[in-house]
Amino acid sequence: MNSESIRSDDSYSDVILAKMQKKKRPKNQEFVGFKEKKKEFKQQKRKWEEEKAMNKIRKKMEAEQKAKEEEDLKKSQREKFGRSWTVSIALPGSIVENAQSDEEKTNLSGYIARAATVFCVDEIIVFDELKSITRNEDKEFVNLAVGKRRNGCIMLAKILQYLDCPQYLRKSLFPQQPDLKFAGALHPLNAPHHLRSDVWNDYREGVVRNIAVKDGKGSYVDIGLQKDCQIDKHLLPGVKVTVKIDPNSKEAKRKYIGEAVAPSAPRTEQGQYWGYKTRLVTCLSEVFSGCPYDGGYDITVGTSERGDNVDTYSFPSPFKHLLIVYLNTCPEQGSATIRTEEALWISLSALRPKISASQKSSAST
C-alpha cells in the first residue's frame, strides 16, 4: 500500500471521528435540556389553561350581561308597550237554551264571540247554574241534563273555543262533532291572531307536527305559513302552542326558528290583543276559585238592572284583573227584559271608556 492511500484513509477516519465527536454530548447535558423543556412546556400549558379559564369566565360574564340587557329591554318594552291587565266576563251557559234549534244556538254563540273580540275580552267563563254538567275521572265534562242530546254549557264553550282558533289550525284541533255542525258558517272574528299567510307577525299560533327530530332539538310547528317553525322545546304532536319567531330567520329557505312562549306573551310583551281563553266551570263559585291569574280578580263587577246606574260608575282604583259577571247594565231600559247576549254589548260599550280611563290614570301616576 502506498503512502498516498494511507493518507487518504487517515483523513477519512479523521472526518468520521470529528462528526461523531460533534454529535456526541454529555449525558448530564441531555438530561438538563429535557428537564428545562418539560418545565417550559408545563408553564406554557398552565398559561394556556389559565387563559382558557379566563376566556370561559369572560364569555359567561358577557352572556350574563347580554341576558340582563335583553331582559331589561324586554321589561322596558313591556312597561312601554305591553298590557298586564286583563278583562274577563262570566256568562251562564243556559243563555243558549232559549234558542229553538242548534243552528240558532250556534248563531247566538257567535254573537257572544264577536262581542268579546270587538271589546278585547281576555277570558270568557261559561258557568253552569242549572247543575247540568259534571266532571268524570278524566276531568272531562259530562252532560247530566235528562232528555237532551246536547248541553248548552258544553256547546257554548266548544263554539267559543272553535271561533277563537285561527282558521288554519281548526282542522287539526277540532274534529267533526255535533256541537260544531253549524259553526263553520259563522262570520270570522278577524282577530289579530287570525293571521293570513301573507302577513308577518313576530307571534303566531301553531300546532306541533308529528315529525321526528334529533335528540336535543325542538319540535316542528305548523304556524300557517309555507314553512314550518322549529321551536326550542320538544312537545307532543297535536299540541297547540304560541310561537315567537326569530326575525333573523324570516328569509330562511327551509324553516323558521322560534321559541314556545306563553299565550299571554303577545299581550304582555307588545300589547297585542291575542284573543280570549274559554273556561267552562260547573258552578258560579268555581268562576273565582279557578281564576288563572295570580292573586285572583281584584275587581268584580256584578251587573243587574237593579244595580247602580253605569253612567255614574267609576272604578275605585286601577285594576289588574277585572271580572264582569252576568251583564245587564242598560239604564232606563224600554223592554221588560234584556237578553244576556244583548246586555253583553251594552255593558262592554258602557264600561269600555271607564276601563281605559282607569288604566290611563294608573300609567300617569
Side-chain angles (χ1 to χ4, degrees):
M1 185 179 295
N2 56 29
S3 59
E4 291 182 1
S5 63
I6 292 173
R7 283 196 300 271
S8 176
D9 291 342
D10 292 342
S11 61
Y12 177 77
S13 300
D14 293 340
V15 171
I16 297 298
L17 182 61
K19 287 183 178 181
M20 291 178 64
Q21 289 176 347
K22 186 177 180 181
K23 288 183 177 181
K24 191 174 181 180
R25 294 180 181 177
K27 290 184 178 181
N28 59 342
Q29 186 177 352
E30 291 182 359
F31 182 73
V32 171
F34 176 76
K35 285 184 66 176
E36 290 177 350
K37 288 184 178 180
K38 187 176 181 180
K39 185 178 179 180
E40 290 177 2
F41 177 77
K42 285 184 176 181
Q43 290 176 347
Q44 185 65 36
K45 185 179 179 182
R46 190 180 300 111
K47 185 179 179 181
W48 289 337
E49 290 175 349
E50 289 175 355
E51 290 178 354
K52 185 177 179 181
M54 290 298 295
N55 288 336
K56 190 175 181 180
I57 293 172
R58 185 172 61 254
K59 288 181 179 179
K60 184 179 179 181
M61 292 177 65
E62 290 175 352
E64 290 176 350
Q65 181 64 25
K66 184 178 180 180
K68 185 178 182 300
E69 291 175 355
E70 290 178 352
E71 184 59 32
D72 291 341
L73 178 61
K74 288 181 180 179
K75 185 177 179 180
S76 63
Q77 288 178 340
R78 282 196 297 267
E79 294 174 350
K80 186 176 181 180
F81 304 108
R83 175 169 67 88
S84 60
W85 53 274
T86 63
V87 176
S88 302
I89 59 175
L91 301 168
S94 60
I95 62 175
V96 298
E97 297 292 354
N98 295 327
Q100 299 300 314
S101 66
D102 288 346
E103 189 171 3
E104 290 182 4
K105 292 179 180 179
T106 301
N107 290 332
L108 177 56
S109 302
Y111 195 70
I112 294 170
R114 285 285 301 171
T117 304
V118 167
F119 292 100
C120 298
V121 171
D122 302 293
E123 182 190 28
I124 303 177
I125 308 113
V126 179
F127 64 89
D128 176 26
E129 81 279 29
L130 301 177
K131 297 183 179 180
S132 63
I133 60 173
T134 187
R135 289 186 179 90
N136 59 18
E137 295 178 354
D138 297 327
K139 304 297 181 181
E140 296 176 344
F141 288 96
V142 179
N143 180 19
L144 297 178
V146 179
K148 292 187 178 181
R149 293 181 304 163
R150 282 187 277 283
N151 183 280
C153 295
I154 297 175
M155 184 177 184
L156 174 58
K158 283 185 178 180
I159 294 174
L160 291 175
Q161 290 174 335
Y162 176 84
L163 291 175
D164 180 68
C165 179
Q167 289 89 331
Y168 58 86
L169 296 180
R170 289 176 181 174
K171 189 175 291 186
S172 300
L173 297 174
F174 293 92
Q176 290 187 354
Q177 48 190 294
D179 287 333
L180 301 177
K181 182 178 180 180
F182 301 101
L186 293 173
H187 294 296
L189 300 182
N190 289 328
H193 62 299
H194 291 193
L195 297 163
R196 298 182 179 89
S197 59
D198 59 344
V199 177
W200 177 263
N201 193 305
D202 290 344
Y203 297 94
R204 289 188 81 97
E205 292 295 302
V207 61
V208 179
R209 299 191 61 189
N210 190 13
I211 297 178
V213 295
K214 297 180 180 179
D215 293 340
K217 297 291 184 179
S219 302
Y220 284 89
V221 179
D222 177 10
I223 54 175
L225 298 176
Q226 294 181 349
K227 295 172 289 188
D228 291 336
C229 179
Q230 189 171 25
I231 59 175
D232 57 333
K233 295 180 177 64
H234 185 73
L235 303 176
L236 293 175
V239 173
K240 184 182 177 185
V241 60
T242 304
V243 176
K244 184 177 183 180
I245 311 170
D246 184 356
N248 295 325
S249 67
K250 185 177 180 179
E251 304 300 330
K253 295 182 178 180
R254 296 182 56 190
K255 62 184 179 182
Y256 297 109
I257 301 298
E259 58 177 321
V261 297
S264 60
R267 170 178 59 82
T268 58
E269 298 288 342
Q270 297 184 1
Q272 298 186 52
Y273 175 64
W274 209 245
Y276 56 80
K277 177 181 174 61
T278 303
R279 185 160 61 93
L280 178 60
V281 297
T282 58
C283 58
L284 182 58
S285 63
E286 197 176 340
V287 171
F288 301 93
S289 62
C291 176
Y293 305 116
D294 293 338
Y297 304 108
D298 51 337
I299 292 185
T300 301
V301 178
T303 61
S304 169
E305 69 275 9
R306 299 179 183 86
D308 296 333
N309 192 322
V310 68
D311 294 337
T312 60
Y313 176 80
S314 60
F315 291 107
S317 63
F319 62 84
K320 293 182 179 179
H321 305 293
L322 169 66
L323 172 64
I324 308 170
V325 184
Y326 180 40
L327 303 169
N328 187 354
T329 54
C330 181
E332 301 177 2
Q333 62 192 55
S335 175
T337 58
I338 294 182
R339 298 169 65 90
T340 304
E341 65 273 17
E342 297 169 338
L344 177 63
W345 286 85
I346 296 170
S347 299
L348 293 176
S349 297
L351 292 174
R352 180 179 180 182
K354 301 179 183 300
I355 292 172
S356 299
S358 173
Q359 297 305 322
K360 285 179 180 178
S361 65
S362 173
S364 61
T365 56

